[in-house]
Amino acid sequence: MGAQIHSYLMSEDARGQANFYVESLGGEIQFLTTFGEMPGTPEAMKDKVMHLALTIAGTNKLMLSDSFEPVSYNRNISLTLNYDDVSEAAAAYAKLSEGGESKYPLALQPWGAYYGEVVDKFGVTWMITKQ
């Protein structure tokens, strides 16, 4: 028996964040449920995302939900994308950088791999590599 780890991000704008990732990395939203689909949901919450699943950059799964508390990301957790092609890694790095902060430019490192780190406009840290 085994388990899989899937990243689940709490967001202040789950739809917008998911669309940004689909546009930046390729992919599609697979599933979206709103709180409005649950009986007794207050009117102000009906449009909020309860669960959203998407695939990005191939077959990678990422999930998001709207948060009802302020969201703050920190650098304790990063999402990593490993590419086989440096041009694909560079394109992903550039797109995720839009409106965000480049921490380490994507470049060939002394250990022989390309590596770059960016904090996207939603505050999520991404480590991009090409081995």
Side-chain angles (χ1 to χ4, degrees):
M1 181 165 174
Q4 295 180 344
I5 292 177
H6 295 284
S7 301
Y8 203 112
L9 303 176
M10 301 308 292
S11 178
E12 292 177 2
D13 178 13
R15 278 189 185 93
Q17 193 167 351
N19 286 329
F20 175 73
Y21 295 148
V22 167
E23 290 170 16
S24 298
L25 302 171
E28 65 181 308
I29 294 172
Q30 300 290 323
F31 183 81
L32 189 149
T33 302
T34 64
F35 284 98
E37 295 174 49
M38 302 302 292
T41 301
E43 193 63 36
M45 294 174 52
K46 286 191 176 196
D47 224 15
K48 297 287 186 180
V49 173
M50 183 170 70
H51 178 69
L52 185 152
L54 68 153
T55 55
I56 55 169
T59 60
N60 301 289
K61 294 180 183 178
L62 184 63
M63 293 175 272
L64 292 100
S65 179
D66 281 320
S67 177
F68 295 101
E69 298 176 7
V71 173
S72 84
Y73 294 106
N74 61 49
R75 304 221 353 153
N76 291 336
I77 295 177
S78 300
L79 300 180
T80 303
L81 288 171
N82 297 305
Y83 285 90
D84 294 327
D85 181 84
V86 71
S87 62
E88 289 179 4
Y93 183 90
K95 290 175 183 175
L96 289 171
S97 296
E98 292 175 8
E101 177 186 1
S102 173
K103 299 303 272 184
Y104 302 104
L106 183 70
L108 185 60
Q109 301 300 318
W111 60 86
Y114 282 83
Y115 174 82
E117 191 171 313
V118 61
V119 178
D120 72 26
K121 65 182 179 179
F122 296 96
V124 176
T125 300
W126 294 84
M127 299 183 336
I128 310 294
T129 62
K130 187 278 177 194
Q131 296 295 332

